[in-house]
């Protein structure tokens, strides 16, 4: 099926309008200087992505295959299946070139920028996975590239900073605020509003002004397109539940998109519960990044969506042990899907995610990104041994949530980048699933 | 003050306080500072100083945590204001107590309007702004396409919505913006973010030329203006007003915690310099016009 046919089929579900809104969410809230660039991008998106003009999508898919290593496997996880008493399948986005789903979008956008005749790429990055993917795609397609990254994230994601530099990108640390994704986005917006005539801003998630949320979703939809087909082939039926972690929401939308019309498939977005769901209004700090679960409507970074904000409208500093989920906003389409009840938002805390990180590493020989560990942590909470036996609340939750017999979990990326954080955080806690990490101290 | 535009009979009657202030004081000085930097009490003294120094309109920034259109200078001011605990309620209390000749505008980001009062509705903010005596709003992350709710609320309460025209704004979008503009059109002198610069961008001349014939609404130029000479250059290029922000915020920042009196004196002096620059250019233009009428260019053999 062509992209435009697929798009047509799903069009009703999305309630998309010409202004790029998803119900009451979305829109274009940006400085005037970049509005013409958004119109230019909207036009390019419609022509190249939706209509496959000049064979754009054909080239994109070919490069995803040959450079990106797609399709990724949908692997039946034997020991997880045994542990949870149901069929667990892992969509292995950690096997995409670069180690995360981020390449799908970065490659699509850098290629689109080339088709549009743009001379330079700017991008923001949180955990560094998007920056890495963008730097790789820019090197692959021979376009100069500059990446903004919060200082805190530079410090906690050094391997990715090195990788970006290796691929020839310039990495600019951002010192403002808490030095995480939100500040990096602000700084990239500023660069873009200065260089908008020659630069393309590769936004890293399904966030930002229209057409970014729709376009990034379309580039990431390859995840669920493949998973749906692979599962029909191997299991002969659709899954009962698809689970994906949600920060900005690009792997989430990618994992859900093809299943949205399948009303019987439960779609679960797992957010970062951080250390607590309580918010300290006085300090303007949310010790979590659970925007869909606890946020309220507002405008941030170009779109109307759900946000972590104070009563006065100031955006909160968020927190997650996973740099990739540490963001006070979320994609507008996800806000809409949650609002309409199609997607169920849940959250797990830092500790649950760390446990899940170690569990998958030990049981399946896959070291997952801390982002993906949140999705796996939810699986444990809803269907693990504790849920079945000791914890009444969780057992009840699992029963109510009814994950079903066939579950797909999107492993959005691999965890090599997170090892330093994991060692540090593991040492500070008493985690049942963790190996002895003291050996790394010397 | 001596400009002849205010008694021009072919100009339509002006019911906007902002337009009236610009026409009456042509060429106008529009001064920006961030409210709450370093405190709301200081802001009161600074606004009054700018008013004494000759600012014809005063733009007060209501700080928002993610100011994507601002450069480092104003972002710094916003951070200081937020650290000092500036809230929308405190902001409006400040404005309630201000007595200035210059009409006031509020400049802030869209989320601040949406969160005031009922969730995701701008009307309570606009109503409160009108109560406080504010004459107009500028929202840098609200393009004309998304501005209908704000325009409707501002129409209801008699406030102007000032739109920004960037060097990249052309064609249909320019038409749309100009047709909705009221108060004045904010002509962004260059691409990028706010911040004092060493020179006036050549894009200013092109931008003002592009706006010719679109609307009677006054045109004011900002982004990078820091000196009287810049103001003069902008007025020479045909602007009705000069917008200055970062250069004033720099003065506030430079004084740190040395009390409000010296900062206020410097702000007043800076406003005088800028206003004098604008007026000098206007006077030169008048003189040149007059001269040209009296003594036509000698013909060369």
């Amino acid at each position: 099926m062509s992209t435009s046919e697929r798009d047509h089929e799903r069009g009703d579900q999305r309630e998309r309008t010409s202004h790029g809104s998803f119900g009451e969410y979305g829109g274009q809230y940006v400085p005037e200087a970049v509005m013409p660039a958004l119109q230019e991008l909207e036009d390019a998106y419609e022509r190249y992505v939706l209509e496959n003009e000049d064979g754009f999508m054909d080239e994109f898919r070919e490069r995803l295959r040959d450079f990106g290593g797609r399709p990724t496997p949908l692997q039946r996880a034997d020991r997880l299946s045994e542990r949870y008493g149901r069929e667990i399948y892992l969509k292995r986005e950690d096997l995409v070139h670069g180690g995360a789903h981020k390449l799908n979008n970065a490659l699509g956008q850098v290629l689109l920028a080339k088709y549009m005749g743009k001379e330079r790429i700017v991008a923001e990055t949180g955990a560094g996975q998007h920056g890495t993917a963008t730097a790789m795609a820019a090197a692959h397609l021979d376009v100069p590239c500059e990446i903004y990254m919060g200082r805190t994230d530079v410090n906690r994601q050094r391997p990715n900073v090195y990788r970006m530099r290796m691929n020839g990108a310039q990495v600019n640390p951002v010192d403002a605020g808490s030095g995480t994704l939100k500040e990096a986005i602000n700084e990239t917006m500023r660069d873009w509003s200065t260089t908008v005539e020659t630069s393309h801003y590769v936004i890293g998630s399904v966030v930002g002004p229209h057409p970014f949320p729709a376009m990034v979703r379309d580039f990431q939809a390859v995840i669920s397109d493949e998973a749906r087909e692979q599962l029909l082939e191997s299991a002969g039926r659709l899954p009962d539940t698809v689970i994906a972690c949600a920060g900005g929401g690009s792997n989430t939308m990618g994992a859900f998109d093809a299943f949205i019309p399948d009303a019987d498939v439960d779609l679960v977005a797992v957010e970062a519960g951080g250390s607590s769901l309580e918010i300290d209004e006085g300090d303007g700090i949310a010790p979590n990044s659970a925007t869909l679960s606890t946020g309220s409507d507002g405008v941030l970074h170009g779109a109307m969506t759900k946000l972590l904000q104070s009563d006065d409208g100031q955006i909160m500093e968020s927190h997650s042990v996973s740099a990739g989920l540490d963001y006070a906003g979320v994609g507008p389409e996800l806000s809409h899907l949650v609002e309409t009840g199609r997607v169920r938002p849940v959250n797990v805390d830092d500790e649950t995610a760390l446990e899940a990180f170690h569990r998958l590493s030990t049981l399946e020989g896959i070291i997952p990104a801390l982002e993906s560990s949140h999705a796996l942590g939810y699986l444990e909470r809803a269907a693990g041994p504790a849920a079945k036996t000791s914890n009444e609340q969780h057992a009840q939750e699992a029963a109510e949530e009814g994950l079903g017999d066939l579950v797909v979990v999107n492993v959005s990326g691999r965890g090599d980048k997170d090892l330093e954080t994991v060692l540090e955080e593991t040492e500070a806690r008493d985690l049942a699933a963790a190996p002895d990490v003291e050996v790394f101290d010397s | 003050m001596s400009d002849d535009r205010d008694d021009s009979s072919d100009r339509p009657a002006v019911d906007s306080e902002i337009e009236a202030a610009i026409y009456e004081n042509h060429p106008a000085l529009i001064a920006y500072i961030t409210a709450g930097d370093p405190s709301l009490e200081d802001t009161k003294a600074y606004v009054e100083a700018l008013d004494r120094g000759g600012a014809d309109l005063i733009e007060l920034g209501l700080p928002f945590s993610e100011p994507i259109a601002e450069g480092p200078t104003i972002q710094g001011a916003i951070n200081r204001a937020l650290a000092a605990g500036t809230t929308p309620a405190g902001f409006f209390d400040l404005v309630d107590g201000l007595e200035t000749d210059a009409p006031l505008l509020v400049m802030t980001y869209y989320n601040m309007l949406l969160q005031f009062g009922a969730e995701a509705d701008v009307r309570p903010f606009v109503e409160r702004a009108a109560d406080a005596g504010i004459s107009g709003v500028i929202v840098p992350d609200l393009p004309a396409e998304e501005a209908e709710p704000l325009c409707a609320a501002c129409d209801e309460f008699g406030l102007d919505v000032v739109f920004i025209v960037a060097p990249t704004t052309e064609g249909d979008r320019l038409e749309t913006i100009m047709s909705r503009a009221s108060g004045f059109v904010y002509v962004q002198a260059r691409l990028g973010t706010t911040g004092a610069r060493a020179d006036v961008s050549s894009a200013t001349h092109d931008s003002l030329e592009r706006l010719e014939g679109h609307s009677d609404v006054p045109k004011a130029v900002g982004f990078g203006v820091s000196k009287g000479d810049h103001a003069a250059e902008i007025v020479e290029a045909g602007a009705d007003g000069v917008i200055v922000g970062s250069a004033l915020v720099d003065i506030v920042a430079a004084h740190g915690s040395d009390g409000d009196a010296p900062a206020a004196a410097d702000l007043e002096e800076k406003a005088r310099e800028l206003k004098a620059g604008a007026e000098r250019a206007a006077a030169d233009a008048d003189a040149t016009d007059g001269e040209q009428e009296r003594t036509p260019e000698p013909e060369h053999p």
Side-chain angles (χ1 to χ4, degrees):
Chain A
M1 194 190 297
S2 77
T3 305
S4 55
E5 284 166 336
R6 187 181 62 85
D7 222 61
H8 178 73
E9 193 172 88
R10 295 176 193 166
D12 291 347
Q13 305 288 333
R14 291 177 182 150
E15 300 174 38
R16 184 190 293 152
T17 74
S18 60
H19 296 100
S21 54
F22 305 98
E24 59 194 291
Y25 301 105
Q28 296 176 313
Y29 298 90
V30 291
E32 170 58 29
V34 305
M35 281 300 289
L38 286 183
Q39 290 189 322
E40 187 188 347
L41 184 62
E42 196 174 339
D43 177 59
Y45 165 60
E46 281 168 9
R47 283 165 46 208
Y48 296 122
V49 180
L50 298 183
E51 306 298 333
N52 193 28
E53 192 175 305
D54 297 341
F56 171 84
M57 285 303 284
D58 301 329
E59 182 177 348
F60 171 54
R61 291 194 182 104
E62 191 183 312
R63 288 182 187 275
L64 268 185
R65 187 189 68 211
D66 296 345
F67 177 69
R70 299 209 73 95
T72 60
L74 181 73
Q75 180 204 344
R76 184 184 183 279
D78 294 338
R79 293 184 69 191
L80 288 192
S81 297
E82 194 182 320
R83 181 177 181 88
Y84 299 123
R86 64 202 77 212
E87 297 290 301
I88 307 294
Y89 283 85
L90 304 176
K91 182 59 176 165
R92 298 288 308 277
E93 290 301 293
D94 58 313
L95 294 178
V96 177
H97 176 46
H101 72 292
K102 294 288 185 183
L103 184 74
N104 305 328
N105 168 49
L107 190 61
Q109 285 200 51
V110 176
L111 188 63
L112 187 65
K114 276 204 98 157
Y115 272 60
M116 292 168 72
K118 297 287 178 183
E119 298 161 9
R120 172 178 176 263
I121 295 295
V122 290
E124 89 291 334
T125 196
Q129 285 300 95
H130 171 59
T132 300
T134 305
M136 289 187 318
H140 172 63
L141 292 164
D142 192 22
V143 190
C145 172
E146 216 164 311
I147 312 268
Y148 292 89
M149 187 172 188
R151 179 75 70 180
T152 308
D153 289 339
V154 167
N155 292 336
R156 62 178 167 173
Q157 301 287 336
R158 281 183 299 170
N160 273 335
V161 177
Y162 298 149
R163 291 206 287 170
M164 287 181 251
R165 296 287 299 126
M166 297 297 163
N167 287 131
Q170 186 176 326
V171 182
N172 304 319
V174 178
D175 287 314
S178 62
T180 59
L181 181 58
K182 166 166 90 67
E183 288 77 23
I185 293 178
N186 292 339
E187 210 52 43
T188 318
M189 278 281 189
R190 290 180 182 137
D191 180 314
W192 194 38
S193 66
T194 312
T195 60
V196 65
E197 289 161 311
T198 52
S199 300
H200 173 69
Y201 177 6
V202 179
I203 288 185
S205 191
V206 287
V207 301
H210 178 68
F212 283 104
M215 182 174 71
V216 176
R217 173 205 62 210
D218 289 351
F219 289 142
Q220 292 293 1
V222 64
I223 300 172
S224 51
D225 281 342
E226 285 177 7
R228 195 173 188 280
E229 203 179 303
Q230 288 164 326
L231 196 64
L232 285 174
E233 201 170 296
S234 60
R237 72 173 184 96
L238 291 175
D240 296 306
T241 305
V242 179
I243 303 175
C245 64
S250 73
N251 92 87
T252 334
M253 283 310 306
F256 292 174
D257 192 63
F259 297 107
I260 288 174
D262 305 316
D264 290 342
V265 178
D266 192 16
L267 304 175
V268 182
V270 187
E271 299 191 285
S275 57
S276 165
L277 288 185
E278 298 299 314
I279 280 171
D280 185 339
E281 274 268 351
D283 286 346
I285 292 170
N288 62 74
S289 305
T291 316
L292 291 166
S293 314
T294 66
S296 59
D297 295 356
V299 167
L300 175 65
H301 295 144
M304 174 82 74
T305 188
K306 288 186 182 292
L307 308 175
L308 297 177
Q309 59 184 332
S310 71
D311 290 345
D312 286 338
Q314 306 295 355
I315 308 305
M316 298 227 172
E317 300 297 346
S318 56
H319 163 79
S320 168
V321 68
S322 161
L325 300 181
D326 194 350
Y327 181 53
V330 66
E333 187 171 12
L334 262 178
S335 292
H336 173 65
L337 291 170
V338 164
E339 200 66 24
T340 54
R342 182 66 191 94
V343 167
R344 192 156 55 85
V346 298
N347 57 79
V348 301
D349 62 18
D350 287 345
E351 199 152 307
T352 306
L354 284 162
E355 291 264 12
F357 175 96
H358 291 298
R359 191 176 300 110
L360 192 74
S361 303
T362 313
L363 292 185
E364 297 286 350
I366 299 167
I367 299 178
L370 273 175
E371 291 88 327
S372 321
S373 302
H374 283 75
L376 294 155
Y378 172 72
L379 186 62
E380 173 75 12
R381 196 180 77 196
K388 280 181 223 151
T389 55
S390 62
N391 190 318
E392 208 170 292
Q393 185 202 330
H394 287 169
Q396 196 181 348
E397 189 179 67
E400 279 171 11
E401 290 173 358
L403 294 183
D405 299 327
L406 191 51
V407 178
V408 172
V409 183
N410 192 30
V411 180
S412 55
R414 69 178 193 221
D416 313 36
K417 69 187 173 67
D418 294 319
L419 289 184
E420 280 190 41
T421 305
V422 168
L423 290 177
E424 205 174 287
E425 297 283 340
T426 300
E427 269 199 306
R429 301 157 204 261
D430 182 23
L431 299 180
D436 180 5
V437 294
E438 273 176 31
V439 66
F440 298 108
D441 270 353
S442 55
Chain B
M1 298 288 192
S2 59
D3 195 270
D4 58 0
R5 293 177 72 145
D6 50 348
D7 35 61
S8 158
S9 56
D10 58 352
R11 192 166 286 282
V14 171
D15 59 1
S16 152
E17 283 176 77
I18 294 174
E19 286 185 41
I22 294 176
Y23 291 141
E24 282 162 22
N25 303 293
H26 196 276
L29 172 63
I30 302 167
Y32 167 93
I33 55 169
T34 301
D37 170 28
S39 74
L40 286 169
E41 295 78 54
D42 289 313
T43 303
K44 183 173 193 299
Y46 299 163
V47 168
E48 286 162 1
L50 291 168
D51 191 44
R52 283 196 303 276
D56 303 304
L57 286 172
I58 295 170
E59 238 185 83
L60 273 174
L62 168 60
F64 174 55
S65 56
E66 317 301 319
I68 55 175
E70 316 298 346
T73 304
I74 292 179
Q75 170 154 41
I78 287 170
N79 292 346
R80 290 191 295 273
L82 288 174
T86 308
T87 62
F91 172 86
F92 284 125
D93 287 346
L94 161 77
V95 178
D96 285 337
L98 284 173
E99 283 174 25
T100 60
D101 292 335
L104 301 169
L105 292 109
V106 55
M107 200 223 74
T108 192
Y109 286 76
Y110 197 48
N111 198 48
M112 296 302 292
L113 278 71
L114 287 173
Q115 305 307 328
F116 191 86
E119 191 176 286
D121 182 5
V122 297
R123 197 175 171 279
F125 183 94
V126 175
E127 183 172 14
R128 180 69 183 89
D131 277 352
I134 284 174
S135 306
V137 294
I138 306 178
V139 186
D141 64 342
L142 188 70
E145 285 82 349
E146 307 280 4
E148 209 179 301
L150 180 61
C151 289
C154 285
D155 277 352
E156 185 184 342
F157 293 102
L159 271 69
D160 287 325
V161 181
V162 172
F163 286 103
I164 297 170
V165 168
T168 47
T169 313
E170 288 175 333
D172 291 349
R173 298 205 66 253
L174 184 63
E175 299 252 344
T176 307
I177 293 171
M178 294 305 285
S179 70
R180 289 192 186 172
S182 61
F184 65 91
V185 176
Y186 190 133
V187 182
Q188 185 181 326
R190 66 187 78 225
L191 286 175
T193 52
T194 55
R197 307 298 209 288
D199 59 352
V200 171
S201 166
S202 60
T204 305
H205 301 258
D206 300 340
S207 295
L208 285 168
E209 243 167 57
R210 258 184 305 125
L211 301 189
E212 283 291 316
H214 275 285
S215 160
D216 277 345
V217 176
K219 293 141 198 82
V221 175
F223 272 52
V225 183
S226 64
K227 296 192 292 199
D229 290 347
H230 296 163
E233 213 178 309
I234 284 166
V235 171
E236 267 167 34
D240 303 298
V242 178
I243 308 164
V244 184
S246 294
L248 303 173
V249 168
D250 277 338
I251 292 172
V252 172
H255 282 274
S257 57
D258 69 356
D260 55 338
D266 285 0
L267 284 169
E268 186 176 338
E269 190 187 317
K270 191 70 179 175
R272 275 189 217 293
E273 175 201 330
L274 292 158
K275 179 70 181 176
E279 284 181 335
R280 187 171 69 238
D284 286 353
D286 284 349
T288 313
D289 284 352
E291 220 165 81
Q292 273 172 354
E293 277 163 30
R294 281 195 302 276
T295 54
E297 290 260 295
E299 279 179 42
H300 292 285

